[in-house]
Amino acid sequence: MLIKGIQKVTLLDYPGKIACTIFTGGCNFRCPFCQNSSLVTHLDEEKIEEEEIVDFLKSRVGKLDAVCISGGEPCIQKDLKEFCQKIKNLGFLIKLDTNGCFPEKIKELLDEHLLDYIAMDIKNCEDKYNRTAGIKVDLEKIKQSVDFLKKSNVEHEFRTTVVQDFHEINDLLHIVKWVSPSKLYLQQFRDSEDVIRKGLHAYSEENMKKIYEKCLKVSSNVYLRGI
């Protein structure tokens, strides 16, 4: 496992649980608004050994409920399943953050009972997916993951980071319909020094609330995050 960072405690990343978040290195997407660009492009810089992470988790048995595996894109890690098994053997719940490009791997992890919660990013409506993800995306893989999660019994959410330069209201209404009746979180974009492309724009808090209200008319399972 290429592990680039760890947040040792979080009350936000796994709903209702005390967790830590592990950040893996590398991603097959190049989303211009990615706020973890150092995890995506600076792979030769310092990493954390897997044994160090496992030792840390052993010291947190009984203190943490769960481990969130984020990135980057964790599913590009060849030994993700083995890593999840080590975490499960310690008794933790596991949440996976993913872009949904690897439905076969997600299904394998679920079949092995290694995941308890999945958060999948929906970058945009289908017509704008490539531009928003920064690469040419296999949309059939994305659709497979969406359909699989919607039909599964695993606790899950979809989430879209809303960027004024990439998302119009009709795009977001389309996403709401696409993932309904599952939960969709609309996340306000926040600029930072670590984004891949500088100079992108967030919607104002007022406009995010207006967008949210319009989306609620399509599905009651839409939520705002970061406001």
Side-chain angles (χ1 to χ4, degrees):
M1 289 285 291
L2 177 58
I3 300 172
K4 299 289 288 182
I6 181 171
Q7 183 177 356
K8 293 186 175 181
V9 63
T10 173
L11 301 178
L12 300 176
D13 288 351
Y14 195 127
K17 304 295 181 183
I18 303 172
C20 71
T21 300
I22 295 165
F23 298 94
T24 63
C27 185
N28 57 318
F29 280 12
R30 289 296 182 270
C31 305
F33 49 89
C34 176
Q35 295 186 335
N36 289 336
S37 66
S38 58
L39 299 175
V40 173
T41 58
H42 296 75
L43 302 185
D44 294 332
E45 295 180 2
E46 185 176 353
K47 66 177 183 178
I48 304 173
E49 295 298 328
E50 183 177 320
E51 293 77 11
E52 183 180 341
I53 295 294
V54 173
D55 287 343
F56 166 77
L57 293 176
K58 288 178 179 178
S59 74
R60 292 301 186 270
V61 172
K63 299 175 183 177
L64 296 177
D65 304 313
V67 176
C68 304
I69 305 177
S70 190
E73 171 51 53
C75 287
I76 69 173
Q77 304 293 326
K78 293 181 180 179
D79 47 356
L80 177 61
K81 183 173 77 170
E82 290 75 17
F83 184 59
C84 287
Q85 188 63 66
K86 292 177 183 179
I87 296 172
K88 272 294 177 185
N89 289 343
L90 295 174
F92 294 106
L93 300 170
I94 298 178
K95 171 178 174 275
L96 176 71
D97 293 344
T98 181
N99 61 28
C101 267
F102 304 93
E104 300 89 353
K105 182 163 284 191
I106 294 171
K107 185 177 186 302
E108 179 185 17
L109 293 171
L110 286 174
D111 288 344
E112 297 283 341
H113 306 290
L114 295 175
L115 299 179
D116 303 282
Y117 196 109
I118 297 175
M120 177 179 162
D121 290 325
I122 301 292
K123 301 302 180 180
N124 212 327
C125 62
E126 291 99 319
D127 290 345
K128 295 183 177 181
Y129 226 92
N130 290 346
R131 177 171 175 263
T132 312
I135 65 160
K136 185 175 181 180
V137 178
D138 186 346
L139 272 173
E140 289 306 311
K141 296 290 188 182
I142 302 295
K143 292 176 182 179
Q144 286 176 33
S145 292
V146 171
D147 291 344
F148 177 72
L149 288 179
K150 286 170 64 174
K151 295 174 183 176
S152 75
N153 294 322
V154 67
E155 193 172 4
H156 66 277
E157 67 181 59
F158 297 99
R159 56 196 189 181
T160 297
T161 299
V162 183
V163 187
Q164 190 173 344
D165 307 76
F166 293 96
H167 301 96
E168 300 176 7
I169 181 60
N170 286 338
D171 304 326
L172 298 168
L173 292 173
H174 177 89
I175 293 170
V176 173
K177 294 175 185 177
W178 184 10
V179 305
S180 181
S182 296
K183 291 183 290 186
L184 174 67
Y185 286 87
L186 300 176
Q187 303 177 153
Q188 186 179 36
F189 167 69
R190 296 191 183 280
D191 200 3
S192 76
E193 290 300 316
D194 204 25
V195 295
I196 287 181
R197 184 194 300 175
K198 303 295 189 294
L200 297 176
H201 304 88
Y203 281 99
S204 67
E205 185 172 318
E206 179 183 358
N207 284 333
M208 281 294 294
K209 290 179 179 178
K210 289 179 179 179
I211 290 169
Y212 168 65
E213 289 169 0
K214 290 181 180 180
C215 289
L216 272 180
K217 294 179 180 180
V218 177
S219 170
S220 61
N221 236 357
V222 181
Y223 305 88
L224 270 181
R225 183 174 280 159
I227 299 295

